[in-house]
Amino acid sequence: MRAAHYIGGAFLPDDATTTMFPLVDPVDGTTVGQVPEADRETVDAAVRAARAALEGAWGATGPEERAIALHRIADTIQARFDAFVDAEVSDTGKPRELAATVDIPRAIGNFRAFADLLRARPEHSWSTAVPGWSTGTGQALNYTVRRPLGVVAVVSPWNLPLLLLTWKVAPALAAGNAVIAKPSEETPSTATLLAEAIDAAGLPGGAFNLVHGHGTDAAGAFLTSHPGVDAIAFTGESATGSAIMREAAGHLTPVSFELGGKNPALVFADADLDAAIEGTVRSAFTHSGQICLCTERVYVERSRYEEFVTRIGARARELTDYGPMISAAHRDKVLSYYRLAVEEGATVVAGGGVPHFGDRRDQGFHVEPTVLTGLPQHARTVQEEIFGPVCHIAPFDTEEEAVRLANDSRYGLAATVWTRDLSRAHRVAPRIDAGIVWVNCWNLRDLRTPFGGAKDSGIGREGGTWSLDFFSEPVNICVQV
Ligand code: NAD
């Protein structure tokens, strides 16, 4: 797999002046490829190509043509499904089953969902009474049309590379924008395949552009601070969101941010404990905890606390088929939190270190699924996002206390409530500071629903018409009849 920039409908060849950086397989630490780093001129070229597309063939398309184009992109990804799965597994080291059942199908689903939403979207109109000075009452017709924002920058992270990239690219294209995508430097491969799929689907050159490279003082920052960019859709760390927003403020560029989390799960004594335990194993350890929606804080009603801790610990120790952290740097960060937890006084119920497999994975970036207890609520381990396969479990005594503990965080992305009491579920869920609250389930997603975070977990909502609203601007047209 060779990563390449895609600008104005053409893949850029590397030459002697191109700076390259290594692509590392996180499973065993080997270098598996070289990726071109976009400099300022390359980003400038992408912005010019996007602008030209808006002024040319892409800007002239209507919703129906774009809906057809999006379905064609979905078909093209589907036709190369295995290549996409291979590339995602190679970049992230995630289990193949995860890429084949979540990442790639959802990427296809993103294009289909926003194509269909575009077709189904109603327009608004109002009939307005106009008092006439000579002829009595007249009438005006007000109606709205939605116009694309223009050139949209999409900057995405490494944890669900194609899923999260297409979650923004699809609605941005649906709304008629020209897009410049900058995937994570850790995971350039499926983005390159996406450019091939979009090329094969026959979109006009410049409608979709792809640049590779790093973030800070590099391709990411060149793009998000560019005066020719009309909107920024970003998913990543909250601190990166702040940095991007500071730059964007200079041009008043609108932003849509999906940021970090420190997601709580509340397990009430009346819960189906088997379901709560299996659900929490999934929500804490899927993709080795590298999903923004993963649970890192679990609060269990005191009467079930001991049993819950014992059983989750046993389940964590049973896990063997898990992927690595994305990089050596991220592994070191997660391990530093494992050490910090002990310094802060935690009891390590399971894991806490580096696994030994006796094969090539021992050169990779794995850490053990880890269960912690015994920390106070204010401990850094309980307050800061770790983004690894780890959860801390604490007891609570009352519903009030459970809600207070869940909300005692700078983050507010997602939460899970486990209870069989229907009234309690409806009472507790809306009181939690989070963009999404799951009751007796986790990560069950409907692409038409609003998605995003409260507090430091994001700005705005995407999903369904919320995405189409962000990526377009209503214009009111008033006609006196
Ligand atoms: P990150 O913020 O380090 O990087 C994300 C992207 O931003 C990358 O493409 C990177 O190159 C780029 N970038 C970095 N600095 C930049 C800068 N100064 N200007 C412009 N671009 C810059 O995040 P990550 O480590 O790739 O991803 C993990 C984080 O993403 C976690 O915090 C996780 O919670 C969050 N996340 C959130 C959601 C959500 O939907 N809320 C989904 C997935 C991941």
Side-chain angles (χ1 to χ4, degrees):
M1 175 71 231
R2 185 148 188 80
H5 307 309
Y6 178 70
I7 295 177
F11 287 94
L12 263 56
D14 307 325
D15 61 27
T17 64
T18 312
T19 304
M20 307 293 284
F21 63 91
L23 180 61
V24 174
D25 181 346
V27 172
D28 61 9
T30 53
T31 297
V32 292
Q34 296 290 324
V35 185
E37 175 84 45
D39 55 15
R40 257 184 216 284
E41 287 69 38
T42 308
V43 172
D44 282 347
V47 174
R48 279 197 304 277
R51 184 70 58 198
L54 289 168
E55 287 162 4
W58 182 244
T61 56
E64 181 56 25
E65 284 164 283
R66 295 199 295 274
I68 292 169
L70 260 62
H71 274 297
R72 221 180 296 132
I73 296 168
D75 294 341
T76 318
I77 299 172
Q78 184 75 58
R80 298 183 65 195
F81 191 88
D82 289 344
F84 275 92
V85 172
D86 290 345
E88 208 69 304
V89 169
S90 169
D91 278 5
T92 61
K94 67 175 60 179
R96 195 177 176 80
E97 196 207 339
L98 195 59
T101 57
V102 177
D103 296 69
I104 310 308
R106 248 298 294 280
I108 295 168
N110 286 338
F111 283 102
R112 298 214 191 281
F114 287 108
D116 293 344
L117 272 162
L118 188 62
R119 284 179 166 141
R121 187 158 216 229
E123 306 276 350
H124 298 290
S125 71
W126 296 265
S127 174
T128 310
V130 181
W133 60 271
S134 61
T135 54
T137 310
Q139 196 194 0
L141 175 65
N142 278 286
Y143 65 97
T144 52
V145 293
R146 296 202 74 99
R147 289 165 49 90
L149 297 173
V151 175
V152 169
V154 173
V155 178
S156 53
W158 46 259
N159 61 328
L160 302 162
L162 189 70
L163 187 161
L164 291 172
L165 187 74
T166 53
W167 176 239
K168 296 176 186 307
V169 168
L173 289 175
N177 301 282
V179 173
I180 304 163
K182 208 293 286 171
S184 168
E185 56 275 24
E186 314 280 5
T187 53
S189 301
T190 45
T192 307
L193 288 179
L194 176 67
E196 291 178 12
I198 288 177
D199 195 68
L203 258 71
F208 173 81
N209 307 274
L210 174 68
V211 294
H212 293 287
H214 289 77
T216 312
D217 298 325
F222 300 156
L223 181 59
T224 53
S225 62
H226 201 291
V229 164
D230 299 307
I232 300 167
F234 167 75
T235 303
E237 284 190 18
S238 301
T240 311
S242 292
I244 290 176
M245 206 169 172
R246 275 194 294 277
E247 293 288 335
H251 307 295
L252 294 173
T253 313
V255 298
S256 177
F257 282 172
E258 295 180 339
L259 306 175
K262 186 76 181 176
N263 308 305
L266 303 183
V267 183
F268 287 93
D270 60 42
D272 174 342
L273 211 63
D274 291 347
I277 286 167
E278 281 318 301
T280 307
V281 167
R282 270 188 71 227
S283 73
F285 302 128
T286 298
H287 192 16
S288 299
Q290 300 171 111
I291 299 178
C292 55
L293 305 166
C294 278
T295 303
E296 289 194 4
R297 299 183 289 141
V298 187
Y299 301 101
V300 185
E301 197 162 349
R302 198 173 296 276
S303 62
R304 313 301 294 273
Y305 173 75
E306 292 297 339
E307 180 188 357
F308 189 92
V309 169
T310 306
R311 290 180 59 188
I312 284 271
R315 287 289 288 113
R317 280 187 292 272
E318 275 166 25
L319 298 173
T320 50
D321 183 22
Y322 53 87
M325 301 294 92
I326 189 67
S327 63
H330 189 53
R331 179 216 32 213
D332 293 347
K333 176 186 158 185
V334 173
L335 288 176
S336 78
Y337 274 103
Y338 286 7
R339 282 192 299 275
L340 175 70
V342 173
E343 284 161 27
E344 290 185 309
T347 300
V348 181
V349 178
V354 173
H356 294 286
F357 297 103
D359 56 33
R360 73 183 181 106
R361 287 176 291 174
D362 290 342
Q363 276 71 57
F365 310 137
H366 297 75
V367 300
E368 288 178 323
T370 294
V371 176
L372 304 167
T373 58
L375 289 175
Q377 176 67 14
H378 65 260
R380 282 182 54 204
T381 309
V382 179
Q383 290 293 333
E384 297 175 13
E385 182 185 47
I386 302 172
F387 217 54
V390 53
C391 64
H392 177 264
I393 313 177
F396 69 84
D397 292 301
T398 64
E399 190 178 299
E400 268 318 294
E401 186 189 8
V403 171
R404 184 177 56 70
L405 289 167
N407 288 343
D408 181 16
S409 168
R410 57 183 276 240
Y411 294 108
L413 187 55
T416 303
V417 177
W418 298 94
T419 177
R420 277 191 279 218
D421 180 336
L422 201 57
S423 298
R424 189 201 301 279
H426 288 293
R427 203 165 51 230
V428 168
R431 293 183 62 200
I432 299 180
D433 302 339
I436 185 162
V437 180
W438 282 290
V439 177
N440 297 330
C441 59
W442 175 74
N443 205 2
L444 206 165
R445 293 276 296 119
D446 181 325
L447 304 189
R448 296 167 299 180
T449 59
F451 182 86
K455 302 200 267 194
D456 287 7
S457 290
I459 295 180
R461 292 291 179 273
E462 294 182 21
T465 52
W466 285 271
S467 294
L468 296 178
D469 281 350
F470 173 73
F471 288 114
S472 65
E473 208 154 38
V475 179
N476 187 65
I477 298 172
C478 178
V479 182
Q480 175 138 19
V481 178

